[in-house]
Amino acid sequence: MIEWTGRPAYQQVADDLRRRIAADEFTESGRLPSLAELQEGYKVTITVAREAIRTLRSEGLAVSHQGKGAFLTPDSPGLARGADSNAAVDALRQEVEVLRREVGELRERIATLEAS
């Protein structure tokens, strides 16, 4: 699931969870996937799963109860809808930066080949 985009894996997991929250996927139970479920579903380490949940908590989308898991806050869906668009814009900005670097490298290679 996680791809090499230059964006940290935990942010990719948090982005997908945010998208799923905005789509009301967890609204019925109010419970987010456990760390083990995140590891299995996204094929990531426990550290990545923890950091993704920590990110959602810092954004006010989730609360954690030791031994019980992570749960949505009452305004999670609305917050996630707003955060989802911000995350998409940030991801696009990062992708544009990667593409700019690659185009610059290609220009240098072309210049080198033309000079030969």
PDB file of all heavy atoms in Angstrom, residues 71-94:
ATOM      1  N   PHE A  71      -9.895   5.948  19.055  1.00  0.00           N
ATOM      2  CA  PHE A  71     -11.290   6.201  18.708  1.00  0.00           C
ATOM      3  C   PHE A  71     -11.440   7.588  18.104  1.00  0.00           C
ATOM      4  O   PHE A  71     -10.646   8.490  18.389  1.00  0.00           O
ATOM      5  CB  PHE A  71     -12.166   6.083  19.961  1.00  0.00           C
ATOM      6  CG  PHE A  71     -12.136   4.716  20.563  1.00  0.00           C
ATOM      7  CD1 PHE A  71     -11.140   4.360  21.457  1.00  0.00           C
ATOM      8  CD2 PHE A  71     -13.080   3.764  20.214  1.00  0.00           C
ATOM      9  CE1 PHE A  71     -11.090   3.085  22.003  1.00  0.00           C
ATOM     10  CE2 PHE A  71     -13.041   2.491  20.754  1.00  0.00           C
ATOM     11  CZ  PHE A  71     -12.043   2.145  21.646  1.00  0.00           C
ATOM     12  N   LEU A  72     -12.472   7.758  17.293  1.00  0.00           N
ATOM     13  CA  LEU A  72     -12.760   9.049  16.689  1.00  0.00           C
ATOM     14  C   LEU A  72     -13.226  10.042  17.749  1.00  0.00           C
ATOM     15  O   LEU A  72     -13.855   9.654  18.721  1.00  0.00           O
ATOM     16  CB  LEU A  72     -13.874   8.912  15.647  1.00  0.00           C
ATOM     17  CG  LEU A  72     -13.609   8.012  14.449  1.00  0.00           C
ATOM     18  CD1 LEU A  72     -14.841   7.954  13.562  1.00  0.00           C
ATOM     19  CD2 LEU A  72     -12.412   8.492  13.669  1.00  0.00           C
ATOM     20  N   THR A  73     -12.925  11.303  17.529  1.00  0.00           N
ATOM     21  CA  THR A  73     -13.498  12.358  18.352  1.00  0.00           C
ATOM     22  C   THR A  73     -14.846  12.730  17.727  1.00  0.00           C
ATOM     23  O   THR A  73     -15.094  12.389  16.568  1.00  0.00           O
ATOM     24  CB  THR A  73     -12.569  13.592  18.393  1.00  0.00           C
ATOM     25  OG1 THR A  73     -12.386  14.080  17.068  1.00  0.00           O
ATOM     26  CG2 THR A  73     -11.233  13.263  19.027  1.00  0.00           C
ATOM     27  N   PRO A  74     -15.706  13.415  18.459  1.00  0.00           N
ATOM     28  CA  PRO A  74     -17.025  13.746  17.905  1.00  0.00           C
ATOM     29  C   PRO A  74     -16.984  14.520  16.585  1.00  0.00           C
ATOM     30  O   PRO A  74     -17.825  14.320  15.718  1.00  0.00           O
ATOM     31  CB  PRO A  74     -17.676  14.578  19.013  1.00  0.00           C
ATOM     32  CG  PRO A  74     -17.015  14.116  20.261  1.00  0.00           C
ATOM     33  CD  PRO A  74     -15.600  13.792  19.871  1.00  0.00           C
ATOM     34  N   ASP A  75     -15.998  15.417  16.417  1.00  0.00           N
ATOM     35  CA  ASP A  75     -15.952  16.181  15.161  1.00  0.00           C
ATOM     36  C   ASP A  75     -14.961  15.642  14.148  1.00  0.00           C
ATOM     37  O   ASP A  75     -14.624  16.327  13.202  1.00  0.00           O
ATOM     38  CB  ASP A  75     -15.664  17.667  15.399  1.00  0.00           C
ATOM     39  CG  ASP A  75     -15.191  18.018  16.766  1.00  0.00           C
ATOM     40  OD1 ASP A  75     -15.555  17.322  17.688  1.00  0.00           O
ATOM     41  OD2 ASP A  75     -14.472  19.012  16.898  1.00  0.00           O
ATOM     42  N   SER A  76     -14.525  14.406  14.297  1.00  0.00           N
ATOM     43  CA  SER A  76     -13.538  13.814  13.383  1.00  0.00           C
ATOM     44  C   SER A  76     -13.917  13.895  11.908  1.00  0.00           C
ATOM     45  O   SER A  76     -13.099  14.322  11.094  1.00  0.00           O
ATOM     46  CB  SER A  76     -13.271  12.353  13.740  1.00  0.00           C
ATOM     47  OG  SER A  76     -12.621  12.262  14.964  1.00  0.00           O
ATOM     48  N   PRO A  77     -15.121  13.459  11.500  1.00  0.00           N
ATOM     49  CA  PRO A  77     -15.430  13.493  10.068  1.00  0.00           C
ATOM     50  C   PRO A  77     -15.301  14.891   9.455  1.00  0.00           C
ATOM     51  O   PRO A  77     -14.697  15.057   8.392  1.00  0.00           O
ATOM     52  CB  PRO A  77     -16.861  12.969   9.991  1.00  0.00           C
ATOM     53  CG  PRO A  77     -16.984  12.076  11.186  1.00  0.00           C
ATOM     54  CD  PRO A  77     -16.184  12.790  12.256  1.00  0.00           C
ATOM     55  N   GLY A  78     -15.818  15.907  10.142  1.00  0.00           N
ATOM     56  CA  GLY A  78     -15.710  17.268   9.613  1.00  0.00           C
ATOM     57  C   GLY A  78     -14.276  17.758   9.557  1.00  0.00           C
ATOM     58  O   GLY A  78     -13.852  18.358   8.574  1.00  0.00           O
ATOM     59  N   LEU A  79     -13.523  17.498  10.626  1.00  0.00           N
ATOM     60  CA  LEU A  79     -12.110  17.886  10.649  1.00  0.00           C
ATOM     61  C   LEU A  79     -11.332  17.161   9.550  1.00  0.00           C
ATOM     62  O   LEU A  79     -10.480  17.751   8.893  1.00  0.00           O
ATOM     63  CB  LEU A  79     -11.482  17.562  12.007  1.00  0.00           C
ATOM     64  CG  LEU A  79     -11.884  18.438  13.177  1.00  0.00           C
ATOM     65  CD1 LEU A  79     -11.329  17.863  14.483  1.00  0.00           C
ATOM     66  CD2 LEU A  79     -11.402  19.853  12.979  1.00  0.00           C
ATOM     67  N   ALA A  80     -11.625  15.885   9.362  1.00  0.00           N
ATOM     68  CA  ALA A  80     -10.904  15.095   8.357  1.00  0.00           C
ATOM     69  C   ALA A  80     -11.193  15.606   6.954  1.00  0.00           C
ATOM     70  O   ALA A  80     -10.308  15.618   6.104  1.00  0.00           O
ATOM     71  CB  ALA A  80     -11.284  13.624   8.465  1.00  0.00           C
ATOM     72  N   ARG A  81     -12.420  16.030   6.715  1.00  0.00           N
ATOM     73  CA  ARG A  81     -12.756  16.546   5.383  1.00  0.00           C
ATOM     74  C   ARG A  81     -11.923  17.777   5.061  1.00  0.00           C
ATOM     75  O   ARG A  81     -11.424  17.927   3.966  1.00  0.00           O
ATOM     76  CB  ARG A  81     -14.248  16.833   5.292  1.00  0.00           C
ATOM     77  CG  ARG A  81     -15.059  15.575   5.196  1.00  0.00           C
ATOM     78  CD  ARG A  81     -16.562  15.833   5.045  1.00  0.00           C
ATOM     79  NE  ARG A  81     -17.270  14.587   5.270  1.00  0.00           N
ATOM     80  CZ  ARG A  81     -17.895  14.258   6.400  1.00  0.00           C
ATOM     81  NH1 ARG A  81     -17.933  15.110   7.403  1.00  0.00           N
ATOM     82  NH2 ARG A  81     -18.496  13.104   6.539  1.00  0.00           N
ATOM     83  N   GLY A  82     -11.728  18.652   6.054  1.00  0.00           N
ATOM     84  CA  GLY A  82     -10.897  19.836   5.849  1.00  0.00           C
ATOM     85  C   GLY A  82      -9.428  19.491   5.747  1.00  0.00           C
ATOM     86  O   GLY A  82      -8.710  20.020   4.908  1.00  0.00           O
ATOM     87  N   ALA A  83      -8.963  18.583   6.590  1.00  0.00           N
ATOM     88  CA  ALA A  83      -7.550  18.184   6.599  1.00  0.00           C
ATOM     89  C   ALA A  83      -7.196  17.399   5.359  1.00  0.00           C
ATOM     90  O   ALA A  83      -6.075  17.474   4.862  1.00  0.00           O
ATOM     91  CB  ALA A  83      -7.240  17.364   7.839  1.00  0.00           C
ATOM     92  N   ASP A  84      -8.161  16.638   4.834  1.00  0.00           N
ATOM     93  CA  ASP A  84      -7.902  15.807   3.663  1.00  0.00           C
ATOM     94  C   ASP A  84      -7.495  16.669   2.468  1.00  0.00           C
ATOM     95  O   ASP A  84      -6.560  16.350   1.759  1.00  0.00           O
ATOM     96  CB  ASP A  84      -9.143  14.975   3.339  1.00  0.00           C
ATOM     97  CG  ASP A  84      -8.860  13.831   2.391  1.00  0.00           C
ATOM     98  OD1 ASP A  84      -7.750  13.262   2.459  1.00  0.00           O
ATOM     99  OD2 ASP A  84      -9.743  13.518   1.576  1.00  0.00           O
ATOM    100  N   SER A  85      -8.170  17.784   2.271  1.00  0.00           N
ATOM    101  CA  SER A  85      -7.818  18.642   1.140  1.00  0.00           C
ATOM    102  C   SER A  85      -6.464  19.297   1.365  1.00  0.00           C
ATOM    103  O   SER A  85      -5.674  19.443   0.433  1.00  0.00           O
ATOM    104  CB  SER A  85      -8.902  19.691   0.898  1.00  0.00           C
ATOM    105  OG  SER A  85      -9.063  20.511   2.028  1.00  0.00           O
ATOM    106  N   ASN A  86      -6.154  19.673   2.616  1.00  0.00           N
ATOM    107  CA  ASN A  86      -4.837  20.243   2.910  1.00  0.00           C
ATOM    108  C   ASN A  86      -3.735  19.218   2.668  1.00  0.00           C
ATOM    109  O   ASN A  86      -2.681  19.545   2.127  1.00  0.00           O
ATOM    110  CB  ASN A  86      -4.771  20.721   4.361  1.00  0.00           C
ATOM    111  CG  ASN A  86      -5.663  21.914   4.613  1.00  0.00           C
ATOM    112  OD1 ASN A  86      -6.006  22.643   3.693  1.00  0.00           O
ATOM    113  ND2 ASN A  86      -6.047  22.107   5.856  1.00  0.00           N
ATOM    114  N   ALA A  87      -3.972  17.976   3.068  1.00  0.00           N
ATOM    115  CA  ALA A  87      -2.977  16.922   2.865  1.00  0.00           C
ATOM    116  C   ALA A  87      -2.768  16.677   1.380  1.00  0.00           C
ATOM    117  O   ALA A  87      -1.638  16.451   0.932  1.00  0.00           O
ATOM    118  CB  ALA A  87      -3.417  15.636   3.556  1.00  0.00           C
ATOM    119  N   ALA A  88      -3.843  16.729   0.613  1.00  0.00           N
ATOM    120  CA  ALA A  88      -3.729  16.513  -0.835  1.00  0.00           C
ATOM    121  C   ALA A  88      -2.894  17.612  -1.474  1.00  0.00           C
ATOM    122  O   ALA A  88      -2.038  17.343  -2.323  1.00  0.00           O
ATOM    123  CB  ALA A  88      -5.118  16.450  -1.471  1.00  0.00           C
ATOM    124  N   VAL A  89      -3.103  18.842  -1.056  1.00  0.00           N
ATOM    125  CA  VAL A  89      -2.325  19.959  -1.590  1.00  0.00           C
ATOM    126  C   VAL A  89      -0.854  19.808  -1.204  1.00  0.00           C
ATOM    127  O   VAL A  89       0.039  20.001  -2.041  1.00  0.00           O
ATOM    128  CB  VAL A  89      -2.899  21.310  -1.093  1.00  0.00           C
ATOM    129  CG1 VAL A  89      -1.957  22.468  -1.418  1.00  0.00           C
ATOM    130  CG2 VAL A  89      -4.271  21.548  -1.704  1.00  0.00           C
ATOM    131  N   ASP A  90      -0.590  19.446   0.046  1.00  0.00           N
ATOM    132  CA  ASP A  90       0.794  19.234   0.482  1.00  0.00           C
ATOM    133  C   ASP A  90       1.465  18.122  -0.319  1.00  0.00           C
ATOM    134  O   ASP A  90       2.621  18.248  -0.721  1.00  0.00           O
ATOM    135  CB  ASP A  90       0.855  18.897   1.970  1.00  0.00           C
ATOM    136  CG  ASP A  90       0.549  20.090   2.846  1.00  0.00           C
ATOM    137  OD1 ASP A  90       0.617  21.236   2.360  1.00  0.00           O
ATOM    138  OD2 ASP A  90       0.240  19.865   4.038  1.00  0.00           O
ATOM    139  N   ALA A  91       0.752  17.028  -0.542  1.00  0.00           N
ATOM    140  CA  ALA A  91       1.299  15.908  -1.315  1.00  0.00           C
ATOM    141  C   ALA A  91       1.607  16.351  -2.739  1.00  0.00           C
ATOM    142  O   ALA A  91       2.650  15.988  -3.305  1.00  0.00           O
ATOM    143  CB  ALA A  91       0.337  14.732  -1.307  1.00  0.00           C
ATOM    144  N   LEU A  92       0.726  17.129  -3.335  1.00  0.00           N
ATOM    145  CA  LEU A  92       0.970  17.631  -4.693  1.00  0.00           C
ATOM    146  C   LEU A  92       2.177  18.557  -4.732  1.00  0.00           C
ATOM    147  O   LEU A  92       2.984  18.487  -5.666  1.00  0.00           O
ATOM    148  CB  LEU A  92      -0.266  18.351  -5.224  1.00  0.00           C
ATOM    149  CG  LEU A  92      -1.430  17.459  -5.624  1.00  0.00           C
ATOM    150  CD1 LEU A  92      -2.653  18.310  -5.956  1.00  0.00           C
ATOM    151  CD2 LEU A  92      -1.061  16.572  -6.802  1.00  0.00           C
ATOM    152  N   ARG A  93       2.320  19.400  -3.730  1.00  0.00           N
ATOM    153  CA  ARG A  93       3.485  20.299  -3.680  1.00  0.00           C
ATOM    154  C   ARG A  93       4.780  19.497  -3.615  1.00  0.00           C
ATOM    155  O   ARG A  93       5.755  19.819  -4.287  1.00  0.00           O
ATOM    156  CB  ARG A  93       3.382  21.215  -2.466  1.00  0.00           C
ATOM    157  CG  ARG A  93       2.429  22.344  -2.652  1.00  0.00           C
ATOM    158  CD  ARG A  93       2.511  23.336  -1.498  1.00  0.00           C
ATOM    159  NE  ARG A  93       1.545  24.386  -1.717  1.00  0.00           N
ATOM    160  CZ  ARG A  93       0.685  24.820  -0.819  1.00  0.00           C
ATOM    161  NH1 ARG A  93       0.696  24.314   0.399  1.00  0.00           N
ATOM    162  NH2 ARG A  93      -0.168  25.776  -1.097  1.00  0.00           N
ATOM    163  N   GLN A  94       4.785  18.459  -2.796  1.00  0.00           N
ATOM    164  CA  GLN A  94       5.982  17.631  -2.691  1.00  0.00           C
ATOM    165  C   GLN A  94       6.274  16.924  -4.011  1.00  0.00           C
ATOM    166  O   GLN A  94       7.429  16.821  -4.433  1.00  0.00           O
ATOM    167  CB  GLN A  94       5.827  16.622  -1.561  1.00  0.00           C
ATOM    168  CG  GLN A  94       5.918  17.270  -0.208  1.00  0.00           C
ATOM    169  CD  GLN A  94       5.822  16.277   0.924  1.00  0.00           C
ATOM    170  OE1 GLN A  94       5.563  15.087   0.717  1.00  0.00           O
ATOM    171  NE2 GLN A  94       6.006  16.740   2.143  1.00  0.00           N
TER     172      GLN A  94
END
